[in-house]
Amino acid sequence: MRLSTKGRYAVMAMVDLARRETDAVRAVALADIAARQEISLSYLEQLFARLRRRGLVTSARGPGGGYRLARGPQDTTIADIVHAVDEPLRATRCGAGKGCMIKGERCLTHDLWADLGEHIEDYLASVSLADVATGRLTADRRAA
């Protein structure tokens, strides 16, 4: 599976927002997220426009403006975030309805990679923003 910077940076920024929102009375400025996560502000603005359109964040203008989560971090999955920034979660190189070979046929390992993509999708859909923001994934792995 290939996850570009769009998906990774959107998740990083949303985790940062989730961590800050519980303490903050006001919205979180993208400039602050950009500085903490070392992500270009203009790139974050593009990502948050997509996240806002998909209903994952709300924005407030003016002094004290910025972004807030549109719903609780426990109600937002990592898959929601990745899909919101138009990242496909597939491990094959096939296009919609077409195979990955030049003549449109499936390659020999297509089913293997398609199955892997489904597992990745299921996993990201099972992990909430709250799980990542509170470090529950790390604690769960240490216990295992």
Side-chain angles (χ1 to χ4, degrees):
M1 180 186 126
R2 192 172 151 260
L3 184 63
S4 75
T5 55
K6 279 193 292 187
R8 285 191 317 240
Y9 286 1
V11 171
M12 288 170 59
M14 289 288 284
V15 169
D16 186 288
L17 182 60
R19 284 184 159 184
R20 298 293 181 271
E21 192 170 78
T22 57
D23 304 330
V25 173
R26 65 181 187 89
V28 179
L30 281 186
D32 295 340
I33 296 173
R36 283 190 297 268
Q37 301 305 318
E38 299 177 358
I39 301 171
S40 159
L41 177 59
S42 62
Y43 197 56
L44 270 185
E45 288 169 343
Q46 294 172 30
L47 294 176
F48 270 71
R50 292 176 182 200
L51 293 166
R52 187 177 45 77
R53 280 194 298 270
R54 293 293 288 266
L56 297 180
V57 296
T58 59
S59 61
R61 294 179 162 244
Y67 286 87
R68 292 184 175 280
L69 296 175
R71 55 188 189 224
Q74 68 282 356
D75 298 322
T76 301
T77 69
I78 301 306
D80 292 336
I81 298 166
V82 173
H83 287 301
V85 295
D86 298 330
E87 280 295 296
L89 290 175
R90 64 176 193 265
T92 65
R93 62 181 182 177
C94 301
K98 296 192 305 190
C100 49
M101 305 297 284
I102 291 174
K103 294 182 180 178
E105 298 167 350
R106 289 180 169 192
C107 67
L108 296 174
T109 57
H110 176 87
D111 293 336
L112 169 70
W113 304 125
D115 191 44
L116 174 63
E118 288 177 27
H119 284 289
I120 292 168
E121 174 76 32
D122 291 344
Y123 175 70
L124 294 179
S126 74
V127 176
S128 74
L129 187 54
D131 293 333
V132 180
T134 60
R136 276 183 274 211
L137 294 177
T138 305
D140 290 347
R141 288 185 185 189
R142 283 189 201 143

